[in-house]
Amino acid sequence: MVDCNAAQTPLDVNQRLTKEMCPVTEEEKENMKNIPYRELVGGLQFVAQCTRPDVSHAVSLVSSFCSNPRSVHWTAAKRILRYLRGTKHEKLTYTRTGETSFHGYIDADWGNDPDTRRSGYAFLESGGVVSWNSKRQSTVALSTTEAEYMALSTATQEAMWWRSFLRELHGTNGALVIHCDNKSAINLAEREVGYAARSKHIDIRHHYVREQVEGKTIKLVFVASELQAADILTKSLSGPKHTEDRKKLGVI
């Protein structure tokens, strides 16, 4: 793949990878036996976890087929290499002139993935991302609001660690801002009237975010979907949107 053609995005926005595509017959499985799929995905995971949050969603997706991949999954994994080939000079960048206030973005993709419900968060400081995550949610969500709320709870746990760290580092003790593009999830976290009765089925551990909102350790701020930087961690995007979100995370 050294001389491969570059791709604009790590995933084809028009393609859906599902478990139904996995090999069924022994002949199909035999054809993939000598393909180094796991080795490639393992290398890509290192890149996604250490320096390139813009491929986290794509790598997380292809890694879910390691036990039984098909040629279509292999092609998708190689597309990530093609994308990295075209953006090999892009890197995480932090600047003195970058936005210095620590803040985060959270997002969840509830309806577009037929096999999993993925969520993601990113926290930024000095113009670049310092913490990010893209993974399938541990429990089933029954609505977009619930999926976003579960993602918000996970991000809040990460935010509390960073708040403690920043307090030791700078002595700051204010509320950390987390941007969410779902007003219903924000209302649920802020205990708005009418939402409590409809959220009784939600696992109590996800209500951790309410405690932190009431304690003013985090502050939830609505952000329009087109400005949601965490979109890149939850779904495949068109070229211009992917590039825009990548730059928002400080990968330039």
Side-chain angles (χ1 to χ4, degrees):
M1 301 294 289
V2 174
D3 299 319
C4 64
N5 294 324
Q8 190 177 14
T9 61
L11 285 174
D12 184 351
V13 71
N14 296 315
Q15 185 181 47
R16 298 282 179 85
L17 299 178
T18 68
K19 292 180 180 179
E20 293 179 353
M21 297 177 176
C22 292
V24 177
T25 66
E26 290 301 321
E27 182 181 357
E28 290 177 320
K29 294 179 180 180
E30 188 64 26
N31 291 335
M32 292 296 298
K33 188 175 182 179
N34 296 321
I35 300 296
Y37 187 86
R38 293 187 179 184
E39 290 80 356
L40 172 56
V41 171
L44 291 174
Q45 285 179 335
F46 179 81
V47 175
Q49 292 171 6
C50 295
T51 60
R52 295 297 298 268
D54 50 323
V55 300
S56 291
H57 169 64
V59 174
S60 177
L61 182 60
V62 297
S63 65
S64 64
F65 303 104
C66 278
S67 62
N68 191 24
R70 200 174 190 174
S71 58
V72 64
H73 302 127
W74 175 239
T75 301
K78 291 194 293 183
R79 181 186 172 95
I80 302 176
L81 288 180
R82 292 172 53 207
Y83 169 74
L84 291 173
R85 162 77 174 173
T87 59
K88 64 181 181 179
H89 297 298
E90 309 295 339
K91 56 188 177 296
L92 279 174
T93 305
Y94 307 95
T95 64
R96 292 182 180 181
T97 57
E99 192 173 357
T100 56
S101 61
F102 188 88
H103 61 286
Y105 292 87
I106 72 101
D107 189 42
D109 184 37
W110 182 67
N112 289 330
D113 189 340
D115 293 331
T116 64
R117 301 296 177 253
R118 297 186 181 277
S119 62
Y121 64 73
F123 289 96
L124 293 88
E125 172 71 28
S126 299
V129 65
V130 294
S131 176
W132 64 90
N133 181 283
S134 176
K135 62 183 295 185
R136 69 178 63 181
Q137 294 184 333
S138 57
T139 56
V140 176
L142 300 179
S143 66
T144 301
T145 297
E146 186 175 343
E148 295 274 357
Y149 187 69
M150 289 160 55
L152 185 57
S153 179
T154 301
T156 298
Q157 296 174 50
E158 178 73 6
M160 295 310 297
W161 185 93
W162 280 100
R163 185 174 184 271
S164 176
F165 176 73
L166 292 172
R167 185 168 60 246
E168 293 182 11
L169 197 64
H170 302 302
T172 55
N173 201 34
L176 294 183
V177 173
I178 299 179
H179 299 276
C180 176
D181 62 0
N182 188 286
K183 289 185 177 180
S184 295
I186 294 176
N187 291 336
L188 183 58
E190 295 178 345
R191 292 183 181 268
E192 291 290 330
V193 176
Y195 282 88
R198 286 178 284 173
S199 65
K200 290 181 179 179
H201 65 285
I202 299 178
D203 194 328
I204 192 170
R205 66 193 179 96
H206 295 307
H207 290 306
Y208 173 74
V209 62
R210 284 183 176 176
E211 180 181 332
Q212 303 309 322
V213 170
E214 292 173 354
K216 301 187 184 302
T217 56
I218 67 166
K219 179 182 179 182
L220 303 181
V221 176
F222 176 76
V223 61
S225 295
E226 59 269 19
L227 302 177
Q228 174 58 273
D231 270 351
I232 199 172
L233 299 173
T234 62
K235 56 182 73 72
S236 56
L237 303 171
S238 62
K241 173 62 174 170
H242 182 88
T243 301
E244 179 185 346
D245 285 358
R246 188 190 73 211
K247 291 180 178 179
K248 285 180 181 178
L249 296 184
V251 181
I252 56 178

